[in-house]
Amino acid sequence: MSTPLTLFEKVWADHVVVEETVDTPAVLYIDLHIIHEVTTPQAFSVLRKNKLPVRRPELTLPTLDHSTPTTPVNTFKDLLVAGEGAANQVRQMERNCEEFGLDLLGYGSGKRGIVHVIGPELGATQPGKTIVCGDSHSSTHGAFGALAFGIGTTEVGHVLATQCLLQRKPKTFAVNVEGALPPGVTAKDLILAVIGKIGVDGGTGHVIEYRGDAIRALSMEERMTICNMSIEGGARAGMIAPDETTIEYLRGRPRVPQGAAWDAAVARWRTLRTDDGAAFDKSVTIDASGLAPMVTFGTNPGMVIGIDEPVPESNDASFRKALDYMQLVPGTRMTEAPVDVVFVGSCTNGRLSDIEAAARILEGRQVADGVRMLVVPGSEQVKADAESRGLHRIIQAAGAEWREAGCSMCIGMNGDIAQPGQLSVSTSNRNFEGRQGVGARTVLASPATAAASAIAGYIADPRKYL
Amino acid sequence: MKPVRIIRSKTVVLPNRDIDTDQIIAARFLTTTSKEGLGQSAFYDLRYNKDGSEKADFILNRPESKGCGILVAGNNFGCGSSREHAPWALLDYGFEAVISTEIADIFRSNSLKNGLVAIVVDAATHNWLLENPGADMTIDVESTTIALPNGRTVDFEIDGFARYCLLEGIDQLGFLRNQLDNIERFEEARTWKP
Ligand code: SF4
């Protein structure tokens, strides 16, 4: 009998062009390379300087998301809303794609959106693929049983020029989630709890595989929320073995194989699971049934508590600095904190089900006085789907803003920012100092918690609004 | 990339844990299409007041920090985003090496590709470095050792290939392009196509 292998090891082995040695890393083949305007210009400059083409344009998926405005764009002037640098970057990306023969899903395509939202939506993200992007949340695509990770701009150049990367094989980390999530507790709460448990560096050097009943029970969109934040636990990638849920999600999507090729692909995908008895380098087990909605209280995603727990105390200097920045006092409850801004969106929680979850709570209610709420769909497709269900009307009737697709306030590159000192309840993935604007205080939460907080004007437990 | 063999410098210490890439270079400075000039925006919100004046008490602004090429930071340095602008900014600022007990994967990989020597040391060495800011030391990439001013020499680990590329100033794209025959063979032999 052959050695039992983990899901990661199977996908890795399937893409090794040249094995690693003590002296050299492995040459790893990349099946899908998603690119955007912010982390590619310097890579295209390298190609130009060396007179190299993009080796496999058909495996390259370019879009515009990070520095695009979330107001309508019809002319170059409309781009300037996001600032001159951002507008030029978008234009540069359009020029680069044209020069190198890449099919940009940009303005007018109807398919533009956040890199990690459009890959799955188009069916370009598939089980068993290697997927990279110059963005650390590339781990999102691991929800399909792909090996997906973020890379730097130098590596973007490597993939554009050779379709390969030089990589050392990472270690494996099993995160087992048993039990079932209680009502009102979402995938976002689960992944925040996982990061709280393993710490923001718990996964460094590892690829996580999420396993167990609670994971199997999740929809694909929920699985993407989980894998998305693997990097927040320090891991390069997060993976979930494909199953019927995965196959049903992909069926009929524009970029999946058709006809007999679909059947062959599905047969291959079904083999992509960790064999019984396969060993992980480390593992942790979490019981989902005891979880509450989670909120962060500090300046990294590992500083997280259940919404009904008090803010903890510590003498550690970094901890105190974080609490000072957040203007929070140990022993108080997060539900005592007044809210200025609420953001629903990002590659963590900007898909249709996230917008639905927020809209369900907003329906028939009003965003509290003095609170600004932004709802930003993850892609133009998500926006169209939400509008065909009338969700935008519910959102607007509640007094929230319904915007154009993009990264928006997740990264604050396009002018969508919170003001210094403002408290933002955000469905994105990073509560770093200044992430959503200089001095802005970010509390990470699920779409339901974000919507409930918008209505209450304070951080609120969504279970009271269900 | 320029070859990097020996780094001789004083250290500057930023003791906080989990210094993320957003702090190293905030997103609003990423709307550039070149690598140059990012040093002036490195650690911007820690370095400058709202009116653009320098924060006098921030370590990088103190006179003794000028010209220091080695950054000693708290555990888990460079976590967060994959932006290569972070090592570009540190290099442009004048840092040649960063030392911590743990360095985030993508940041480390990006750093080594640009000639910023990212070094992980044991907790005891790290504590000594935290307690002795301004220590005058020598990093030898060839022998993978750090010579401390107290006479101690500490070994550090660095991926053999990354070390070779640093020493020779090798651009990894050239190395990968030499594999193109293998890459083509791999593509032809695959049982399924992406
Ligand atoms: S939504 Fe945020 S985390 Fe996701 S790709 Fe955009 S900037 Fe990165």
Side-chain angles (χ1 to χ4, degrees), chain A residues 14 29 31 42 55-56 89 152-154 168 201 205 316 318 430 435, chain B residues 17 22 30 32 34 75 80 84 102 105 110 159 177 187 190 192:
Chain A
D14 194 33
Y29 197 81
D31 296 326
Q42 298 86 351
R55 186 159 176 275
R56 299 293 303 266
Q89 215 167 37
T153 299
T154 300
R168 290 284 178 192
D201 57 352
D316 177 84
S318 301
R430 286 186 176 142
R435 172 85 176 182
Chain B
R17 283 193 275 120
D22 279 74
L30 306 187
T32 168
S34 84
N75 188 55
E84 202 159 316
E102 188 164 38
D105 289 335
N110 285 340
D159 177 71
R177 290 197 10 97
E187 285 175 326
R190 288 188 89 172
W192 64 278

PDB file of all heavy atoms in Angstrom, chain A residues 14 29 31 42 55-56 89 152-154 168 201 205 316 318 430 435, chain B residues 17 22 30 32 34 75 80 84 102 105 110 159 177 187 190 192:
ATOM      1  N   ASP A  14       1.157  16.915  -7.676  1.00  0.00           N
ATOM      2  CA  ASP A  14       0.635  16.998  -9.033  1.00  0.00           C
ATOM      3  C   ASP A  14       1.195  18.203  -9.805  1.00  0.00           C
ATOM      4  O   ASP A  14       0.983  18.309 -11.015  1.00  0.00           O
ATOM      5  CB  ASP A  14      -0.904  17.081  -8.953  1.00  0.00           C
ATOM      6  CG  ASP A  14      -1.567  16.840 -10.296  1.00  0.00           C
ATOM      7  OD1 ASP A  14      -1.016  16.041 -11.093  1.00  0.00           O
ATOM      8  OD2 ASP A  14      -2.613  17.454 -10.563  1.00  0.00           O
ATOM      9  N   TYR A  29       4.312  24.335 -10.768  1.00  0.00           N
ATOM     10  CA  TYR A  29       3.493  24.843 -11.870  1.00  0.00           C
ATOM     11  C   TYR A  29       2.233  25.512 -11.342  1.00  0.00           C
ATOM     12  O   TYR A  29       1.609  25.026 -10.401  1.00  0.00           O
ATOM     13  CB  TYR A  29       3.104  23.706 -12.821  1.00  0.00           C
ATOM     14  CG  TYR A  29       2.617  24.234 -14.152  1.00  0.00           C
ATOM     15  CD1 TYR A  29       3.527  24.628 -15.128  1.00  0.00           C
ATOM     16  CD2 TYR A  29       1.257  24.379 -14.415  1.00  0.00           C
ATOM     17  CE1 TYR A  29       3.090  25.151 -16.339  1.00  0.00           C
ATOM     18  CE2 TYR A  29       0.809  24.898 -15.619  1.00  0.00           C
ATOM     19  CZ  TYR A  29       1.741  25.277 -16.588  1.00  0.00           C
ATOM     20  OH  TYR A  29       1.306  25.797 -17.785  1.00  0.00           O
ATOM     21  N   ASP A  31      -1.609  26.852 -12.166  1.00  0.00           N
ATOM     22  CA  ASP A  31      -2.716  26.660 -13.112  1.00  0.00           C
ATOM     23  C   ASP A  31      -3.547  27.912 -13.351  1.00  0.00           C
ATOM     24  O   ASP A  31      -4.197  28.042 -14.382  1.00  0.00           O
ATOM     25  CB  ASP A  31      -3.665  25.576 -12.587  1.00  0.00           C
ATOM     26  CG  ASP A  31      -2.998  24.217 -12.508  1.00  0.00           C
ATOM     27  OD1 ASP A  31      -2.142  23.934 -13.376  1.00  0.00           O
ATOM     28  OD2 ASP A  31      -3.330  23.442 -11.586  1.00  0.00           O
ATOM     29  N   GLN A  42       5.030  46.789 -11.423  1.00  0.00           N
ATOM     30  CA  GLN A  42       6.483  46.587 -11.397  1.00  0.00           C
ATOM     31  C   GLN A  42       6.852  45.248 -12.043  1.00  0.00           C
ATOM     32  O   GLN A  42       7.954  45.095 -12.568  1.00  0.00           O
ATOM     33  CB  GLN A  42       6.989  46.646  -9.957  1.00  0.00           C
ATOM     34  CG  GLN A  42       6.764  47.993  -9.260  1.00  0.00           C
ATOM     35  CD  GLN A  42       5.388  48.124  -8.597  1.00  0.00           C
ATOM     36  OE1 GLN A  42       4.513  47.282  -8.788  1.00  0.00           O
ATOM     37  NE2 GLN A  42       5.200  49.181  -7.829  1.00  0.00           N
ATOM     38  N   ARG A  55       3.719  34.190 -20.649  1.00  0.00           N
ATOM     39  CA  ARG A  55       3.879  32.868 -21.253  1.00  0.00           C
ATOM     40  C   ARG A  55       2.538  32.176 -21.509  1.00  0.00           C
ATOM     41  O   ARG A  55       2.349  31.543 -22.547  1.00  0.00           O
ATOM     42  CB  ARG A  55       4.770  32.000 -20.358  1.00  0.00           C
ATOM     43  CG  ARG A  55       5.096  30.686 -20.988  1.00  0.00           C
ATOM     44  CD  ARG A  55       6.327  30.037 -20.407  1.00  0.00           C
ATOM     45  NE  ARG A  55       6.423  28.755 -21.059  1.00  0.00           N
ATOM     46  CZ  ARG A  55       5.775  27.683 -20.627  1.00  0.00           C
ATOM     47  NH1 ARG A  55       5.053  27.739 -19.535  1.00  0.00           N
ATOM     48  NH2 ARG A  55       5.861  26.554 -21.302  1.00  0.00           N
ATOM     49  N   ARG A  56       1.618  32.236 -20.560  1.00  0.00           N
ATOM     50  CA  ARG A  56       0.320  31.570 -20.741  1.00  0.00           C
ATOM     51  C   ARG A  56      -0.822  32.544 -20.439  1.00  0.00           C
ATOM     52  O   ARG A  56      -1.445  32.474 -19.382  1.00  0.00           O
ATOM     53  CB  ARG A  56       0.234  30.349 -19.810  1.00  0.00           C
ATOM     54  CG  ARG A  56       1.296  29.269 -20.039  1.00  0.00           C
ATOM     55  CD  ARG A  56       1.141  28.560 -21.383  1.00  0.00           C
ATOM     56  NE  ARG A  56      -0.153  27.956 -21.558  1.00  0.00           N
ATOM     57  CZ  ARG A  56      -0.422  26.682 -21.273  1.00  0.00           C
ATOM     58  NH1 ARG A  56       0.499  25.886 -20.787  1.00  0.00           N
ATOM     59  NH2 ARG A  56      -1.628  26.201 -21.478  1.00  0.00           N
ATOM     60  N   GLN A  89      -3.042  54.016 -11.836  1.00  0.00           N
ATOM     61  CA  GLN A  89      -2.752  52.592 -11.697  1.00  0.00           C
ATOM     62  C   GLN A  89      -3.756  51.751 -12.508  1.00  0.00           C
ATOM     63  O   GLN A  89      -3.387  50.779 -13.169  1.00  0.00           O
ATOM     64  CB  GLN A  89      -2.854  52.236 -10.224  1.00  0.00           C
ATOM     65  CG  GLN A  89      -1.874  51.208  -9.782  1.00  0.00           C
ATOM     66  CD  GLN A  89      -1.797  51.132  -8.275  1.00  0.00           C
ATOM     67  OE1 GLN A  89      -2.789  51.270  -7.584  1.00  0.00           O
ATOM     68  NE2 GLN A  89      -0.613  50.887  -7.768  1.00  0.00           N
ATOM     69  N   GLY A 152       4.356  37.826  -3.794  1.00  0.00           N
ATOM     70  CA  GLY A 152       4.817  39.197  -3.972  1.00  0.00           C
ATOM     71  C   GLY A 152       4.942  39.540  -5.443  1.00  0.00           C
ATOM     72  O   GLY A 152       4.752  38.687  -6.321  1.00  0.00           O
ATOM     73  N   THR A 153       5.279  40.795  -5.703  1.00  0.00           N
ATOM     74  CA  THR A 153       5.318  41.267  -7.084  1.00  0.00           C
ATOM     75  C   THR A 153       6.437  40.610  -7.901  1.00  0.00           C
ATOM     76  O   THR A 153       6.260  40.327  -9.090  1.00  0.00           O
ATOM     77  CB  THR A 153       5.467  42.803  -7.096  1.00  0.00           C
ATOM     78  OG1 THR A 153       4.324  43.355  -6.426  1.00  0.00           O
ATOM     79  CG2 THR A 153       5.544  43.360  -8.494  1.00  0.00           C
ATOM     80  N   THR A 154       7.579  40.334  -7.278  1.00  0.00           N
ATOM     81  CA  THR A 154       8.652  39.636  -8.001  1.00  0.00           C
ATOM     82  C   THR A 154       8.132  38.282  -8.491  1.00  0.00           C
ATOM     83  O   THR A 154       8.377  37.880  -9.636  1.00  0.00           O
ATOM     84  CB  THR A 154       9.876  39.424  -7.087  1.00  0.00           C
ATOM     85  OG1 THR A 154      10.339  40.701  -6.656  1.00  0.00           O
ATOM     86  CG2 THR A 154      10.995  38.695  -7.801  1.00  0.00           C
ATOM     87  N   ARG A 168       9.506  26.282  -1.528  1.00  0.00           N
ATOM     88  CA  ARG A 168       9.795  25.208  -0.586  1.00  0.00           C
ATOM     89  C   ARG A 168       8.466  24.616  -0.145  1.00  0.00           C
ATOM     90  O   ARG A 168       7.490  25.346   0.027  1.00  0.00           O
ATOM     91  CB  ARG A 168      10.532  25.767   0.638  1.00  0.00           C
ATOM     92  CG  ARG A 168      11.955  26.209   0.343  1.00  0.00           C
ATOM     93  CD  ARG A 168      12.863  25.013   0.225  1.00  0.00           C
ATOM     94  NE  ARG A 168      14.230  25.412  -0.107  1.00  0.00           N
ATOM     95  CZ  ARG A 168      15.156  24.530  -0.489  1.00  0.00           C
ATOM     96  NH1 ARG A 168      14.876  23.245  -0.617  1.00  0.00           N
ATOM     97  NH2 ARG A 168      16.373  24.951  -0.756  1.00  0.00           N
ATOM     98  N   ASP A 201       0.203  34.014  14.425  1.00  0.00           N
ATOM     99  CA  ASP A 201       1.372  33.383  13.819  1.00  0.00           C
ATOM    100  C   ASP A 201       1.288  31.852  13.922  1.00  0.00           C
ATOM    101  O   ASP A 201       2.241  31.155  13.593  1.00  0.00           O
ATOM    102  CB  ASP A 201       2.662  33.886  14.486  1.00  0.00           C
ATOM    103  CG  ASP A 201       2.650  33.652  15.983  1.00  0.00           C
ATOM    104  OD1 ASP A 201       1.601  33.246  16.516  1.00  0.00           O
ATOM    105  OD2 ASP A 201       3.694  33.889  16.623  1.00  0.00           O
ATOM    106  N   GLY A 205       4.415  29.058   8.075  1.00  0.00           N
ATOM    107  CA  GLY A 205       5.131  27.926   7.481  1.00  0.00           C
ATOM    108  C   GLY A 205       4.240  26.744   7.124  1.00  0.00           C
ATOM    109  O   GLY A 205       4.720  25.733   6.632  1.00  0.00           O
ATOM    110  N   ASP A 316       1.161  42.892  28.747  1.00  0.00           N
ATOM    111  CA  ASP A 316       2.042  42.912  27.588  1.00  0.00           C
ATOM    112  C   ASP A 316       1.974  44.276  26.880  1.00  0.00           C
ATOM    113  O   ASP A 316       0.896  44.831  26.677  1.00  0.00           O
ATOM    114  CB  ASP A 316       1.599  41.787  26.636  1.00  0.00           C
ATOM    115  CG  ASP A 316       2.408  41.791  25.373  1.00  0.00           C
ATOM    116  OD1 ASP A 316       3.490  41.201  25.393  1.00  0.00           O
ATOM    117  OD2 ASP A 316       1.977  42.413  24.379  1.00  0.00           O
ATOM    118  N   SER A 318       2.588  45.280  23.776  1.00  0.00           N
ATOM    119  CA  SER A 318       1.898  45.340  22.483  1.00  0.00           C
ATOM    120  C   SER A 318       0.385  45.290  22.686  1.00  0.00           C
ATOM    121  O   SER A 318      -0.379  45.959  21.985  1.00  0.00           O
ATOM    122  CB  SER A 318       2.334  44.182  21.590  1.00  0.00           C
ATOM    123  OG  SER A 318       3.719  44.224  21.372  1.00  0.00           O
ATOM    124  N   ARG A 430      -8.969  42.517   8.218  1.00  0.00           N
ATOM    125  CA  ARG A 430      -7.831  43.071   8.957  1.00  0.00           C
ATOM    126  C   ARG A 430      -8.247  44.300   9.766  1.00  0.00           C
ATOM    127  O   ARG A 430      -8.828  45.229   9.227  1.00  0.00           O
ATOM    128  CB  ARG A 430      -6.682  43.427   8.006  1.00  0.00           C
ATOM    129  CG  ARG A 430      -6.010  42.167   7.552  1.00  0.00           C
ATOM    130  CD  ARG A 430      -4.777  42.397   6.725  1.00  0.00           C
ATOM    131  NE  ARG A 430      -4.211  41.089   6.449  1.00  0.00           N
ATOM    132  CZ  ARG A 430      -3.645  40.725   5.308  1.00  0.00           C
ATOM    133  NH1 ARG A 430      -3.523  41.606   4.338  1.00  0.00           N
ATOM    134  NH2 ARG A 430      -3.177  39.510   5.153  1.00  0.00           N
ATOM    135  N   ARG A 435      -5.605  50.571   8.891  1.00  0.00           N
ATOM    136  CA  ARG A 435      -6.003  49.819   7.701  1.00  0.00           C
ATOM    137  C   ARG A 435      -7.169  50.491   6.975  1.00  0.00           C
ATOM    138  O   ARG A 435      -7.221  50.528   5.752  1.00  0.00           O
ATOM    139  CB  ARG A 435      -6.386  48.384   8.119  1.00  0.00           C
ATOM    140  CG  ARG A 435      -7.007  47.534   7.023  1.00  0.00           C
ATOM    141  CD  ARG A 435      -5.970  46.863   6.156  1.00  0.00           C
ATOM    142  NE  ARG A 435      -6.605  45.974   5.171  1.00  0.00           N
ATOM    143  CZ  ARG A 435      -5.938  45.238   4.312  1.00  0.00           C
ATOM    144  NH1 ARG A 435      -4.621  45.258   4.293  1.00  0.00           N
ATOM    145  NH2 ARG A 435      -6.558  44.470   3.460  1.00  0.00           N
TER     146      ARG A 435
ATOM    147  N   ARG B  17       5.295  43.356  18.992  1.00  0.00           N
ATOM    148  CA  ARG B  17       4.961  42.112  18.293  1.00  0.00           C
ATOM    149  C   ARG B  17       4.075  42.440  17.088  1.00  0.00           C
ATOM    150  O   ARG B  17       3.407  43.464  17.064  1.00  0.00           O
ATOM    151  CB  ARG B  17       4.118  41.223  19.209  1.00  0.00           C
ATOM    152  CG  ARG B  17       4.838  40.510  20.280  1.00  0.00           C
ATOM    153  CD  ARG B  17       3.912  39.438  20.857  1.00  0.00           C
ATOM    154  NE  ARG B  17       3.035  39.972  21.879  1.00  0.00           N
ATOM    155  CZ  ARG B  17       1.709  39.973  21.827  1.00  0.00           C
ATOM    156  NH1 ARG B  17       1.083  39.514  20.759  1.00  0.00           N
ATOM    157  NH2 ARG B  17       0.998  40.467  22.803  1.00  0.00           N
ATOM    158  N   ASP B  22       0.864  46.680   6.825  1.00  0.00           N
ATOM    159  CA  ASP B  22       0.151  47.957   6.741  1.00  0.00           C
ATOM    160  C   ASP B  22       0.875  49.042   7.534  1.00  0.00           C
ATOM    161  O   ASP B  22       0.817  50.214   7.181  1.00  0.00           O
ATOM    162  CB  ASP B  22      -1.285  47.822   7.266  1.00  0.00           C
ATOM    163  CG  ASP B  22      -2.226  47.230   6.233  1.00  0.00           C
ATOM    164  OD1 ASP B  22      -2.135  46.015   5.998  1.00  0.00           O
ATOM    165  OD2 ASP B  22      -3.046  47.977   5.665  1.00  0.00           O
ATOM    166  N   LEU B  30       0.376  52.753  -1.869  1.00  0.00           N
ATOM    167  CA  LEU B  30       0.582  51.670  -2.849  1.00  0.00           C
ATOM    168  C   LEU B  30       0.118  52.055  -4.249  1.00  0.00           C
ATOM    169  O   LEU B  30       0.200  51.243  -5.157  1.00  0.00           O
ATOM    170  CB  LEU B  30      -0.164  50.397  -2.424  1.00  0.00           C
ATOM    171  CG  LEU B  30       0.107  49.844  -1.026  1.00  0.00           C
ATOM    172  CD1 LEU B  30      -0.587  48.504  -0.857  1.00  0.00           C
ATOM    173  CD2 LEU B  30       1.585  49.704  -0.746  1.00  0.00           C
ATOM    174  N   THR B  32       1.372  53.388  -6.601  1.00  0.00           N
ATOM    175  CA  THR B  32       2.539  53.745  -7.376  1.00  0.00           C
ATOM    176  C   THR B  32       2.780  52.630  -8.384  1.00  0.00           C
ATOM    177  O   THR B  32       2.346  51.504  -8.176  1.00  0.00           O
ATOM    178  CB  THR B  32       3.765  53.896  -6.453  1.00  0.00           C
ATOM    179  OG1 THR B  32       4.940  53.971  -7.249  1.00  0.00           O
ATOM    180  CG2 THR B  32       3.907  52.707  -5.515  1.00  0.00           C
ATOM    181  N   SER B  34       6.025  52.192  -9.544  1.00  0.00           N
ATOM    182  CA  SER B  34       7.462  51.900  -9.502  1.00  0.00           C
ATOM    183  C   SER B  34       7.845  51.422  -8.100  1.00  0.00           C
ATOM    184  O   SER B  34       7.001  51.331  -7.217  1.00  0.00           O
ATOM    185  CB  SER B  34       8.273  53.143  -9.886  1.00  0.00           C
ATOM    186  OG  SER B  34       8.442  53.979  -8.753  1.00  0.00           O
ATOM    187  N   ASN B  75       8.270  39.788  17.844  1.00  0.00           N
ATOM    188  CA  ASN B  75       7.878  38.532  17.207  1.00  0.00           C
ATOM    189  C   ASN B  75       6.872  38.739  16.070  1.00  0.00           C
ATOM    190  O   ASN B  75       6.036  39.620  16.126  1.00  0.00           O
ATOM    191  CB  ASN B  75       7.261  37.621  18.275  1.00  0.00           C
ATOM    192  CG  ASN B  75       7.016  36.225  17.750  1.00  0.00           C
ATOM    193  OD1 ASN B  75       7.922  35.575  17.253  1.00  0.00           O
ATOM    194  ND2 ASN B  75       5.777  35.773  17.833  1.00  0.00           N
ATOM    195  N   GLY B  80       0.503  39.876   7.664  1.00  0.00           N
ATOM    196  CA  GLY B  80      -0.512  40.590   6.907  1.00  0.00           C
ATOM    197  C   GLY B  80      -0.324  40.435   5.417  1.00  0.00           C
ATOM    198  O   GLY B  80      -0.076  39.342   4.920  1.00  0.00           O
ATOM    199  N   GLU B  84       4.850  43.635  -1.721  1.00  0.00           N
ATOM    200  CA  GLU B  84       6.316  43.663  -1.764  1.00  0.00           C
ATOM    201  C   GLU B  84       6.808  45.095  -1.505  1.00  0.00           C
ATOM    202  O   GLU B  84       7.995  45.317  -1.266  1.00  0.00           O
ATOM    203  CB  GLU B  84       6.793  43.146  -3.132  1.00  0.00           C
ATOM    204  CG  GLU B  84       8.220  42.646  -3.120  1.00  0.00           C
ATOM    205  CD  GLU B  84       8.505  41.698  -4.287  1.00  0.00           C
ATOM    206  OE1 GLU B  84       7.655  40.818  -4.562  1.00  0.00           O
ATOM    207  OE2 GLU B  84       9.552  41.847  -4.921  1.00  0.00           O
ATOM    208  N   GLU B 102      10.369  35.617  14.776  1.00  0.00           N
ATOM    209  CA  GLU B 102       9.535  34.996  13.752  1.00  0.00           C
ATOM    210  C   GLU B 102       9.244  36.048  12.697  1.00  0.00           C
ATOM    211  O   GLU B 102       8.999  37.204  13.025  1.00  0.00           O
ATOM    212  CB  GLU B 102       8.228  34.510  14.377  1.00  0.00           C
ATOM    213  CG  GLU B 102       7.374  33.682  13.457  1.00  0.00           C
ATOM    214  CD  GLU B 102       6.305  32.914  14.231  1.00  0.00           C
ATOM    215  OE1 GLU B 102       5.764  33.481  15.202  1.00  0.00           O
ATOM    216  OE2 GLU B 102       6.027  31.781  13.866  1.00  0.00           O
ATOM    217  N   ASP B 105       5.742  34.492   6.502  1.00  0.00           N
ATOM    218  CA  ASP B 105       6.218  33.768   5.310  1.00  0.00           C
ATOM    219  C   ASP B 105       6.386  34.633   4.061  1.00  0.00           C
ATOM    220  O   ASP B 105       7.437  34.629   3.434  1.00  0.00           O
ATOM    221  CB  ASP B 105       5.229  32.644   4.952  1.00  0.00           C
ATOM    222  CG  ASP B 105       5.281  31.502   5.949  1.00  0.00           C
ATOM    223  OD1 ASP B 105       6.320  31.325   6.599  1.00  0.00           O
ATOM    224  OD2 ASP B 105       4.274  30.777   6.065  1.00  0.00           O
ATOM    225  N   ASN B 110       9.530  37.725   0.107  1.00  0.00           N
ATOM    226  CA  ASN B 110       9.680  38.973  -0.660  1.00  0.00           C
ATOM    227  C   ASN B 110      10.988  39.678  -0.309  1.00  0.00           C
ATOM    228  O   ASN B 110      11.672  40.214  -1.181  1.00  0.00           O
ATOM    229  CB  ASN B 110       8.523  39.929  -0.353  1.00  0.00           C
ATOM    230  CG  ASN B 110       7.220  39.517  -1.028  1.00  0.00           C
ATOM    231  OD1 ASN B 110       7.225  38.764  -1.992  1.00  0.00           O
ATOM    232  ND2 ASN B 110       6.111  39.998  -0.512  1.00  0.00           N
ATOM    233  N   ASP B 159      17.438  29.781   4.060  1.00  0.00           N
ATOM    234  CA  ASP B 159      17.296  28.810   2.988  1.00  0.00           C
ATOM    235  C   ASP B 159      18.532  28.864   2.089  1.00  0.00           C
ATOM    236  O   ASP B 159      19.002  29.946   1.717  1.00  0.00           O
ATOM    237  CB  ASP B 159      16.041  29.150   2.194  1.00  0.00           C
ATOM    238  CG  ASP B 159      15.865  28.227   1.008  1.00  0.00           C
ATOM    239  OD1 ASP B 159      15.556  27.053   1.244  1.00  0.00           O
ATOM    240  OD2 ASP B 159      16.088  28.669  -0.136  1.00  0.00           O
ATOM    241  N   ARG B 177      13.875  30.711 -15.707  1.00  0.00           N
ATOM    242  CA  ARG B 177      13.822  30.641 -17.184  1.00  0.00           C
ATOM    243  C   ARG B 177      14.730  29.542 -17.723  1.00  0.00           C
ATOM    244  O   ARG B 177      14.459  28.967 -18.767  1.00  0.00           O
ATOM    245  CB  ARG B 177      14.152  32.011 -17.792  1.00  0.00           C
ATOM    246  CG  ARG B 177      13.004  32.990 -17.507  1.00  0.00           C
ATOM    247  CD  ARG B 177      12.985  34.228 -18.345  1.00  0.00           C
ATOM    248  NE  ARG B 177      13.895  34.275 -19.459  1.00  0.00           N
ATOM    249  CZ  ARG B 177      13.563  33.974 -20.713  1.00  0.00           C
ATOM    250  NH1 ARG B 177      12.340  33.594 -20.994  1.00  0.00           N
ATOM    251  NH2 ARG B 177      14.454  34.070 -21.657  1.00  0.00           N
ATOM    252  N   GLU B 187       4.222  20.334 -19.009  1.00  0.00           N
ATOM    253  CA  GLU B 187       2.921  20.708 -19.596  1.00  0.00           C
ATOM    254  C   GLU B 187       2.436  19.640 -20.570  1.00  0.00           C
ATOM    255  O   GLU B 187       1.248  19.306 -20.590  1.00  0.00           O
ATOM    256  CB  GLU B 187       3.043  22.059 -20.316  1.00  0.00           C
ATOM    257  CG  GLU B 187       3.106  23.233 -19.351  1.00  0.00           C
ATOM    258  CD  GLU B 187       3.359  24.570 -20.034  1.00  0.00           C
ATOM    259  OE1 GLU B 187       4.081  24.601 -21.047  1.00  0.00           O
ATOM    260  OE2 GLU B 187       2.853  25.577 -19.533  1.00  0.00           O
ATOM    261  N   ARG B 190       1.155  16.259 -18.771  1.00  0.00           N
ATOM    262  CA  ARG B 190       0.050  16.296 -17.807  1.00  0.00           C
ATOM    263  C   ARG B 190      -1.141  15.487 -18.298  1.00  0.00           C
ATOM    264  O   ARG B 190      -1.474  15.509 -19.474  1.00  0.00           O
ATOM    265  CB  ARG B 190      -0.419  17.731 -17.581  1.00  0.00           C
ATOM    266  CG  ARG B 190       0.545  18.542 -16.797  1.00  0.00           C
ATOM    267  CD  ARG B 190      -0.054  19.877 -16.455  1.00  0.00           C
ATOM    268  NE  ARG B 190      -0.778  19.794 -15.193  1.00  0.00           N
ATOM    269  CZ  ARG B 190      -1.282  20.854 -14.574  1.00  0.00           C
ATOM    270  NH1 ARG B 190      -1.196  22.036 -15.118  1.00  0.00           N
ATOM    271  NH2 ARG B 190      -1.890  20.718 -13.414  1.00  0.00           N
ATOM    272  N   TRP B 192      -4.181  16.089 -17.206  1.00  0.00           N
ATOM    273  CA  TRP B 192      -5.309  17.023 -17.351  1.00  0.00           C
ATOM    274  C   TRP B 192      -4.743  18.415 -17.560  1.00  0.00           C
ATOM    275  O   TRP B 192      -3.622  18.691 -17.167  1.00  0.00           O
ATOM    276  CB  TRP B 192      -6.233  16.975 -16.129  1.00  0.00           C
ATOM    277  CG  TRP B 192      -5.590  17.433 -14.854  1.00  0.00           C
ATOM    278  CD1 TRP B 192      -4.793  16.691 -14.037  1.00  0.00           C
ATOM    279  CD2 TRP B 192      -5.665  18.739 -14.263  1.00  0.00           C
ATOM    280  NE1 TRP B 192      -4.366  17.449 -12.982  1.00  0.00           N
ATOM    281  CE2 TRP B 192      -4.895  18.710 -13.085  1.00  0.00           C
ATOM    282  CE3 TRP B 192      -6.326  19.933 -14.612  1.00  0.00           C
ATOM    283  CZ2 TRP B 192      -4.755  19.813 -12.253  1.00  0.00           C
ATOM    284  CZ3 TRP B 192      -6.191  21.044 -13.781  1.00  0.00           C
ATOM    285  CH2 TRP B 192      -5.409  20.971 -12.614  1.00  0.00           C
TER     286      TRP B 192
END
